Amino acid sequence: KAADTLSTADRVLKAQGQERVLLRTLDRVGTGTLLMPHSRVVLTRDSVDWATAQTVSELIARVPGVYLWRGGWQGRAEMPNYLGRGATSVEYLLDGVPYLPVGPDSLAADPSLWSLSLLDRVEVERGAGQLRVMLFSRRHDRAAPRTRIGITSGDRSIARYLGTFERRYPSGIGLGLGAEYFAVNAPNGGTGGMNSTNAWIQLGYLPSPTLGVQFQLQLQDVARDTLFDGEPGEENALSGGVVGTRSDAQLRFSWQRAPGDLGSRADLIVGRTSWSSDSVAHQVGRLGAVVAHRRPTWSSQLTVWHNSEWTPLDARLALGWAPFSRMSAAMELVEQAHSGDRRSRWGTARVGFRAPILGITLSGVVRDGERVQAPADTEDQGQRFTDLEATASVDGRRIGAEVGMARLDGWRPIAYRDFMRVASLRPVESSDWVTAKARVAVTSWLTMESLYEHAIRGDLPDGTPPHHGLTTATIRSRFLRNFPSGIFEMKLQGMVETWSPGVIGRTTEGAPIAIPGRTLVRGWLQFKIGPFIAYYDRVNFQAVRGGTVTRYPIPGLASSFGVRWDFLN
């Protein structure tokens, strides 16, 4: 018998060497513009893994000014409402491509349906009265293959199974595969069960440092049962059922003048979005181009999209300028043409300044123009607006604070389709808001953080209580005395969300729907040993009978737990 020519130790050393070999990947689309102070929250893969969040919706809820409409517990709709602007107050992009709502709800997308484990990065861009959430799928940049597996269980027979595989070769070929299955049963004697499958396929080829092509397909199969308040019947329906399959395919051709972040680059993207079910079948094709140039002190980006439905033209020009290290400015101009001879035009101007003392940062945002908030609704017409926002912050190692003031123009917000008991939201003439965020690192392992928003003057919009706050206390330690290598890490977090009595919306007759004040307590325990992560999540510790939306309660003392394991083969 011939002896092995390669020992086990040699194989281990070879694998460890591949883990340190970096290979080129396609740059993310839409991230080349200069960032302004307070303009964008960036969550990398590690931040997402350690966030106290099961869904994209819960990540967005950590932005001051967001009130999250929860349709119950896991598996039900979770819709962010930013500063009372309603269903369309948040827009989404998936790998640089606008994410169009299709299927049963063509007005707003439900971010709770995405799989966090199939995302590599989440960026939330803040503006006066509008949020833009940019989602980026995973991209592998190592010579060693990467595999991720995960499993979750919990109350109501929760089941979540995850598996991904990523490989990149020195020749420039890249492969990514992933799928996550999630299911949750209805409560005993109740309704509202759900199961979904998210799948992701990515194929790429980079023949040179300046050229690349990538195909990506994302599938989402959803079966969400109707939720009733009591016995099944139309009069007791809270949320309609959703059964169907959505697919988002894109083929991207990329060119850049030279490797690196600086210089010129251009991307051509061909995409297709489709929804199929027994009741609805819909397809939207799109063709887009992104041309950008980045220098150390300025940036420019032109994005043009053609869609086969609703918005034939969507053009955006973004400019950024940082003449000094302590000052920067940015501007974005948007021109959209919609079906029915409707148009949207608006501009956003930003300016920021960092003071040389105390780390104080000041910024301001102005948005002015006319916008059709729901292009898929042929009855929706453009609304004229001028929105202003100013923010001041100080960020130190131990203490951080941020205070923002926003003056929003009149608006006719759209209600959320999935919350059938809230038929509409009252139009407002104008509203003034104050938002705040504070962080105190009591010790190196104990941190307190709070978010708060409050409508201080003008009309009080429906859908957001007058006062809403979210406070967390986090213990996070590596126990370096016991684990000097740093391989172990633990996080224990308590979360308290509270809101005052208000009006959540209107009935079909126009009568206000009151929402009582509530306080919800949540706990999260997570620890990490190398690439292995385990967590335990428990909500509504006080078993409060109620939720963030009237008649949509969050179950008391509901819990889930799971593990995830990333490893380079």
Side-chain angles (χ1 to χ4, degrees), residues 140 222 267 438 558:
H140 187 53
V222 181
D267 292 276

Side-chain angles (χ1 to χ4, degrees), residues 464-487:
T464 301
H467 301 269
H468 172 238
L470 179 66
T471 299
T472 61
T474 306
I475 296 175
R476 187 168 177 178
S477 176
R478 290 182 176 272
F479 294 95
L480 293 178
R481 292 183 179 179
N482 303 95
F483 303 93
S485 65
I487 195 173

Side-chain angles (χ1 to χ4, degrees), residues 366-385:
V366 179
R367 295 175 69 243
D368 180 81
E370 183 179 13
R371 180 189 169 204
V372 176
Q373 60 177 332
D377 182 0
T378 57
E379 302 297 325
D380 186 44
Q381 299 298 318
Q383 302 185 53
R384 187 73 176 81
F385 66 90

Side-chain angles (χ1 to χ4, degrees), residues 468-509:
H468 172 238
L470 179 66
T471 299
T472 61
T474 306
I475 296 175
R476 187 168 177 178
S477 176
R478 290 182 176 272
F479 294 95
L480 293 178
R481 292 183 179 179
N482 303 95
F483 303 93
S485 65
I487 195 173
F488 181 84
E489 189 169 4
M490 185 203 73
K491 172 185 174 181
L492 176 63
Q493 185 174 86
M495 180 187 304
V496 179
E497 183 178 12
T498 181
W499 61 89
S500 61
V503 176
I504 199 64
R506 307 281 158 162
T507 65
T508 53
E509 293 79 19

